[in-house]
Amino acid sequence: MKIYDAYNLIGINSNQLRNYNRAIEYHNKALNYLKENNLKNKYHLDASSLNNIGYVYQNINKHKEAIKSFNLALADRNLYIDNPSLYAMLIDNLAYSQFKLEILARFKVVFTSR
């Protein structure tokens, strides 16, 4: 798990430093490490990594990609029971990206119709 944690922390720190490509790269490395080593657990680290990837996409206004990541994480039916705080965070992040897409769509209509 230390390798996963290291990848995850590099991803989080890269996002904070606005090095978004590197953040996505390391969050994907963390996710791939979990898959390659079959490390599924009750903490749903895969869903956490997908949330982190979606959050990076939010920061660069790629809300469609963010929504894909959040939906992938939410596909785990046990997430709500096993990790309700992560589930709530994913729902919140998903709603925010959906909201931003709707606002952007309305904004384009207002300025292209004039």
Side-chain angles (χ1 to χ4, degrees):
M1 294 303 281
K2 289 181 182 182
I3 293 173
Y4 168 82
D5 290 337
Y7 286 150
N8 190 47
L9 286 174
I10 293 170
I12 290 169
N13 288 331
S14 295
N15 186 43
Q16 291 298 316
L17 294 169
R18 295 186 174 107
N19 190 342
Y20 301 116
N21 289 333
R22 187 169 190 220
I24 290 170
E25 174 189 349
Y26 275 89
H27 284 306
N28 277 319
K29 283 184 179 192
L31 189 59
N32 289 333
Y33 180 80
L34 292 173
K35 289 177 183 176
E36 290 169 2
N37 294 285
N38 202 24
L39 296 174
K40 203 150 174 76
N41 63 27
K42 68 178 181 175
Y43 300 111
H44 299 273
L45 296 176
D46 52 340
S48 181
S49 289
L50 287 165
N51 180 64
N52 292 341
I53 292 167
Y55 185 67
V56 175
Y57 281 129
Q58 278 185 338
N59 286 331
I60 56 177
N61 291 316
K62 291 189 174 183
H63 293 285
K64 287 182 182 178
E65 288 86 351
I67 288 169
K68 288 177 190 175
S69 290
F70 300 139
N71 280 330
L72 277 173
L74 289 165
D76 186 342
R77 298 288 180 216
N78 294 323
L79 183 62
Y80 176 79
I81 301 297
D82 295 339
N83 196 335
S85 62
L86 177 57
Y87 179 83
M89 188 184 316
L90 281 158
I91 293 294
D92 180 58
N93 287 338
L94 175 62
Y96 179 75
S97 281
Q98 290 172 333
F99 169 75
K100 291 296 280 188
L101 278 179
E102 181 64 28
I103 292 296
L104 291 172
R106 287 183 185 173
F107 189 71
K108 287 178 185 175
V109 168
V110 168
F111 286 99
T112 57
S113 65
R114 293 180 183 216

